[in-house]
């Protein structure tokens, strides 16, 4: 019976209605603090995981994992593309011609990066064809000077499919009448939307049209490569350049988007650390709760000691009580956090539609909606950390209760 004593009495203290309502209030506060801390930690880490996932699937689905370039242009690119496709980790290759320029229509001007692509090859290295909201990449026919714009870019220019837009490139054309900027009229044949900042800064044209505009002849700017593991981009790129020899240059996605990915990872770690401190504060509120309970239960402790309870049993009683408070708070927090993590996108979408506001503007942030990805490994780590903090917070009050002297207490009873 004495072996079950800590468990039975500890749970009874949790269920009992105390005479001291302040102690009950502190216990409830500690429990609610753990609940909110755990729930918020799960929610925030899920949102950060969502940002990480969207960066990989949306942005890095549009941005090449790595590029192989030749400064003077690559003329015989098909054999090289087939050769690189045989390499380990390379799953796709496609040629490109890149040109920075400014679109102008009706007095509106907007800078953008124009990718000259081969529509039949583009699906190997990009997800743009999966995110066409109007038109298709197949509409990019050489000689027709069609162009596909991002949705935000088209909106900023105030144009749609079928409209004409002028592209000015930062190169001059020398004519008998003088020096003029090089420009060309395009017809908008399609619009894509990936819900990222690329919608406002990216356009696609046929590679032959861009070769003509850039006066590159039959040469292309280089090859874009798709890898089966984007985190191997650096090592794969270096290995390819070492194999191809001098004259080739490799640029992987970390040069253009690496800082954003590292920032998300750093923010995730720092936010997790800060929120863990909040959970720790809530857990250590149990210390004050148990200290007051121990003070309130001096007579009970003394009686238990006189009938044979050991200091270890007394210590166990208050550890069970503190852990019960903590476990209830943690479990409720886990349930609440999982529900919020699973439905936060729907909740934010409802609030945006109801209030007519947008929390994430793709022109400012790299995505336009709030993503969430619940990882059970994160939930497990949070539960383990919260439980350890709760356990540590019970040690001092329980130790203090174990060494209450029965004679000193009962002398005044």
């Amino acid at each position: 019976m004495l072996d079950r004593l800590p468990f039975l009495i500890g749970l009874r203290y949790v269920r009992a209605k105390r005479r001291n309502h302040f102690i009950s209030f502190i216990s409830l506060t500690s429990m609610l603090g753990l609940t909110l801390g755990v729930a918020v930690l799960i929610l925030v880490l899920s949102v950060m995981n969502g940002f990480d996932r969207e960066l990989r699937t949306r942005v890095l689905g549009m941005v090449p994992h790595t590029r192989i370039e030749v400064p003077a242009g690559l003329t015989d690119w098909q054999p090289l593309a087939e050769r690189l496709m045989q390499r380990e980790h390379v799953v796709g290759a496609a040629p490109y011609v890149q040109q920075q320029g400014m679109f102008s229509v009706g007095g509106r001007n907007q800078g953008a990066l124009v990718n000259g692509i081969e529509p039949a090859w583009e699906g190997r290295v990009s997800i743009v064809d999966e995110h066409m909201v109007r038109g298709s990449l197949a509409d990019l026919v050489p000689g027709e000077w069609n162009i596909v714009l991002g949705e935000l870019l088209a909106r900023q220019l105030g144009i749609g499919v079928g409209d004409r837009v002028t592209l000015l490139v930062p190169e001059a054309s020398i004519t008998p009448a003088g020096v003029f900027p090089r420009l060309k009229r395009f017809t908008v044949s399609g619009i894509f939307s990936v819900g990222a900042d690329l919608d406002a800064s990216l356009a696609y044209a046929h590679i032959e049209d861009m070769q003509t505009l850039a006066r590159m002849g039959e040469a292309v700017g280089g090859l874009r490569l798709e890898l089966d593991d984007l985190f191997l981009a650096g090592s794969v790129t270096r290995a390819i350049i070492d194999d191809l020899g001098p004259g080739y240059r490799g640029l992987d996605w970390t040069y253009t988007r690496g800082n954003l990915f590292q920032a998300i990872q750093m923010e995730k770690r720092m936010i997790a650390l800060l929120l863990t401190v909040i959970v720790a504060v809530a857990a250590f509120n149990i210390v004050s709760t148990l200290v007051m309970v121990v003070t309130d239960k001096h007579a009970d402790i003394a009686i238990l000691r006189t009938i044979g309870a050991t200091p270890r049993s007394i210590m166990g009683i208050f550890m069970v009580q503190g852990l019960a408070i903590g476990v209830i708070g943690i479990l409720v927090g886990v349930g609440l956090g999982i529900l919020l993590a699973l439905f936060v996108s729907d909740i934010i979408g409802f609030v945006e539609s109801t209030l007519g506001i947008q929390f994430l503007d793709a022109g400012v942030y790299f995505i336009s909606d709030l993503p969430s990805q619940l990882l059970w490994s994160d939930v497990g780590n949070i539960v383990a950390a919260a439980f350890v903090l709760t356990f540590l917070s019970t040690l001092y009050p329980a130790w203090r209760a174990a060494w209450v002297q029965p004679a000193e207490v009962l002398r005044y009873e």
Side-chain angles (χ1 to χ4, degrees):
M1 182 66 183
L2 290 178
D3 293 336
R4 300 172 56 193
L5 188 68
F7 184 76
L8 295 174
I9 297 180
L11 291 182
R12 183 176 179 181
Y13 281 172
V14 174
R15 297 193 305 267
K17 296 182 178 179
R18 300 186 182 89
R19 297 185 303 271
N20 192 331
H21 295 289
F22 183 71
I23 297 177
S24 300
F25 175 76
I26 296 297
S27 299
L28 181 61
T29 302
S30 303
M31 193 180 299
L32 290 177
L34 276 172
T35 297
L36 293 177
V38 170
V40 170
L41 188 51
I42 292 175
L43 174 61
V44 171
L45 290 185
S46 297
V47 171
M48 298 304 294
N49 291 332
F51 275 103
D52 179 80
R53 180 195 62 197
E54 294 302 312
L55 174 63
R56 299 190 194 190
T57 57
R58 291 195 194 185
V59 178
L60 295 182
M62 299 284 289
V63 175
H65 291 174
T66 188
R67 294 182 296 174
I68 305 300
E69 300 178 342
V70 177
L74 186 62
T75 54
D76 195 15
W77 62 267
Q78 292 94 338
L80 179 59
E82 297 297 337
R83 175 183 168 187
L84 294 179
M85 285 281 292
Q86 303 302 317
R87 295 186 66 94
E88 186 180 7
H89 301 299
V90 179
V91 296
Y96 71 92
V97 173
Q98 272 189 355
Q99 182 71 66
Q100 289 282 356
M102 177 176 290
F103 288 102
S104 178
V105 57
R108 297 181 180 181
N109 300 306
Q110 189 67 38
L113 176 66
V114 183
N115 276 338
I117 62 171
E118 183 64 55
W121 289 64
E122 187 63 17
R124 304 182 182 186
V125 297
S126 173
I127 62 173
V128 62
D129 205 24
E130 303 172 8
H131 292 271
M132 297 293 298
V133 294
R134 272 180 279 177
S136 170
L137 290 183
D139 297 329
L140 298 178
V141 179
E144 294 190 3
W145 299 96
N146 290 333
I147 197 165
V148 172
L149 302 178
E151 185 177 40
L152 289 178
L153 179 59
R155 190 185 306 166
Q156 290 166 355
L157 293 171
I159 57 177
V161 173
D163 294 333
R164 305 272 289 176
V165 62
T166 301
L167 174 65
L168 295 85
V169 298
E171 296 179 9
S173 296
I174 301 177
T175 68
V179 179
F180 295 93
R182 191 178 306 171
L183 54 87
K184 183 62 183 179
R185 296 273 286 179
F186 283 86
T187 301
V188 179
S189 62
I191 293 176
F192 69 87
S193 174
V194 293
D197 61 339
L198 296 175
D199 292 343
S201 60
L202 192 59
Y204 291 92
H206 197 279
I207 193 169
E208 292 185 17
D209 293 340
M210 295 306 297
Q211 286 173 325
T212 301
L213 184 62
R215 297 178 180 176
M216 296 182 63
E218 297 296 324
V220 299
L223 291 174
R224 294 187 294 164
L225 303 181
E226 177 85 2
L227 307 180
D228 56 6
D229 187 350
L230 61 92
F231 293 106
L232 297 176
S235 59
V236 171
T237 303
R238 287 191 295 270
I240 291 175
I241 296 303
D242 292 340
D243 184 48
L244 294 178
Y248 291 87
R249 180 177 61 182
L251 294 172
D252 60 79
W253 66 272
T254 58
Y255 286 93
T256 56
R257 298 285 172 171
N259 290 337
L260 178 59
F261 183 82
Q262 292 173 0
I264 291 177
Q265 294 298 312
M266 178 63 72
E267 288 174 2
K268 180 181 177 181
R269 287 192 290 267
M270 294 306 298
I271 289 175
L273 178 60
L274 293 175
L275 292 178
T276 301
V277 172
I278 295 176
V279 174
V281 171
F284 281 103
N285 279 340
I286 297 176
V287 175
S288 58
T289 300
L290 292 182
V291 167
M292 287 187 288
V293 171
V294 169
T295 303
D296 189 54
K297 298 297 183 181
H298 269 189
D300 294 358
I301 296 171
I303 293 172
L304 288 172
R305 288 295 306 277
T306 58
I307 63 175
T310 63
R312 181 176 179 180
S313 297
I314 300 299
M315 189 173 181
I317 291 172
F318 293 97
M319 289 183 67
V320 167
Q321 182 183 1
L323 288 174
I325 295 173
V327 168
I328 293 172
I330 292 170
L331 292 179
V332 176
V334 168
L336 180 61
I338 290 175
L339 287 176
L340 290 175
L342 292 176
F343 298 104
V344 64
S345 299
D346 297 331
I347 294 172
I348 295 299
F350 174 77
V351 173
E352 288 180 338
S353 61
T354 302
L355 301 180
I357 60 176
Q358 185 175 14
F359 289 107
L360 295 177
D361 184 358
V364 178
Y365 305 97
F366 74 90
I367 61 173
S368 58
D369 54 355
L370 188 66
S372 177
Q373 182 182 19
L374 179 66
L375 296 181
W376 294 109
S377 58
D378 286 344
V379 176
N381 292 334
I382 292 168
V383 170
F387 182 81
V388 169
L389 292 171
T390 300
F391 174 78
L392 294 176
S393 68
T394 65
L395 293 179
Y396 171 72
W399 175 83
R400 183 173 173 179
W403 294 104
V404 169
Q405 298 299 322
E408 294 294 328
V409 175
L410 296 177
R411 176 184 301 174
Y412 302 102
E413 291 293 328

